[in-house]
Amino acid sequence: MGQAGCKRLSQSLFDYKTEKYVIAKNKKVGLLYRLLQVSILTYLVAWVFLVKKGYQDIDTSLQSSVITKVKGVTFTNTSELGERLWDVADYVIPPQGENIFFVITNLIVTPNQRQGTCAESESIPDAVCYEDSDCPPGEPIMAGNGVRTGRCLQSGNTQRGTCEIFAWCPVETKSRPEKPLLDKAEDFTIYIKNFIHFPKFNFSKTNVLDIKDRDFLKSCRFGPKNPYCPIFRLGSVVSWTGSNFQEIALQGGVIGIQIEWNCDLDKAPSECNPRYYFSRLDRRFPGNSVSSGYNFRFAKYYRDEAGVEFRTLMKAYGIRFDVMAGKFSIIPTIINLASGVALMGVGSFFCDLVLIYFIKKSNFYRNKKYEEARSSHAGNGKVSVEQLQDLQTVEA
């Protein structure tokens, strides 16, 4: 058995398999095969090429630039700042007009801070002390405002106090106001100018109409009836995200503005229009959570008549805007054609399974499709009746 098996294995190494085409005169299988072909062709032509534009090429090297500008003024009167007019130079950070910018809507102001010694805020856990040994000198309070001096400052007759620190004094102690300082900011406007360029097709477009009327941008506002006006009302942008302006102005937040260009260059350039999507990016926690909102601190520095430096510390709450631009991707033609050819092969494979396994004469068709041919060493040039029958068309 071992020698016989090795002999058969060695002989099979030199076998060659070639395709044999059997024409089966079976109307049911033939109809099934044509239905599969028609279905695949309909899918490729109607859905892939006509609906999904699968014949188009894609330019993955989209070049895009975004320029922003905010406009609007408002007036406030507070005990810390007095009467003050706010314009764009006061409440927009940074002022360069980038695709990411911040609009201040609320402030906690700590004026006239000077470097010296004072008591740390009672809201800082590490600053609590009962005696001077609780405040080792020279050690900073990491979550606080300065460096310990070695003294424990107690208020009144209580034993509990806070460490004395060297810092910008007085330290910030006020909590967030219950009403936003710039509550009229919802009427401010945002000008968003977006340039795109597809280098592969040498095609450029912008979201601003090319008109000579200088008053157009001064009076228009973006909306469904005016998609080519790049002027957005700040309150409307917030409402399109499903948020309330007064709530987000009080504690701050982050809003994303997505500009999508889905350009079919088979059509006229006027058909290449931007679509805008507005979303709230920061997570909103239920209730009055300390994790909600968006804020940061900055200071404005001055010198008095004696040359001593002092500053006004501001904790700013507001809305951060992230403006993003992109393009929708389209599947290349060659991939769709290859997929169609592969689907045609699947149709033939499925019909073969039906033919040789699931119909009544499956054994007959299977024997005709798979046959072993051996060369004759003693042939006389004649053809037998059985060989002629094998060459005839198979009838169902």
Side-chain angles (χ1 to χ4, degrees), residues 20 366-373 390:
K20 177 182 179 180
R366 185 162 55 248
N367 293 334
K368 291 301 179 182
K369 181 173 177 62
Y370 302 104
E371 141 182 334
E372 184 176 331
D390 289 340

Side-chain angles (χ1 to χ4, degrees), residues 115-132:
Q115 290 196 8
T117 58
C118 55
E120 178 61 283
S121 172
E122 295 181 355
S123 62
I124 308 298
D126 291 344
V128 176
C129 63
Y130 295 90
E131 54 187 22
D132 291 345

Side-chain angles (χ1 to χ4, degrees), residues 84-93 104 107 182 298 300:
R84 181 165 181 174
L85 180 71
W86 295 80
D87 63 12
V88 64
D90 298 315
Y91 59 76
V92 175
I93 301 172
I104 298 173
L107 281 175
L182 305 185
F298 67 97
K300 294 186 176 181

Side-chain angles (χ1 to χ4, degrees), residues 283-298:
R283 182 180 176 185
R284 286 169 289 178
F285 293 88
N288 193 21
S289 172
V290 295
S291 300
S292 301
Y294 182 81
N295 63 79
F296 64 92
R297 291 175 175 83
F298 67 97

Side-chain angles (χ1 to χ4, degrees), residues 1-13 15:
M1 289 294 294
Q3 293 181 352
C6 292
K7 184 178 180 180
R8 286 195 300 269
L9 178 60
S10 62
Q11 290 177 348
S12 65
L13 293 176
D15 290 345

Side-chain angles (χ1 to χ4, degrees), residues 60 117 120 334 348:
T60 58
T117 58
E120 178 61 283
I334 188 170
S348 300

Side-chain angles (χ1 to χ4, degrees), residues 176-195:
R176 186 181 65 203
E178 297 181 356
K179 182 181 178 181
L181 178 65
L182 305 185
D183 56 345
K184 304 296 184 182
E186 60 182 325
D187 292 324
F188 294 170
T189 59
I190 309 171
Y191 171 47
I192 303 175
K193 191 172 185 179
N194 179 214
F195 301 92

Side-chain angles (χ1 to χ4, degrees), residues 246-263:
Q246 295 299 322
E247 175 265 327
I248 196 174
L250 182 64
Q251 61 183 4
V254 183
I255 288 179
I257 303 176
Q258 174 73 39
I259 308 174
E260 184 181 275
W261 294 86
N262 186 9
C263 296

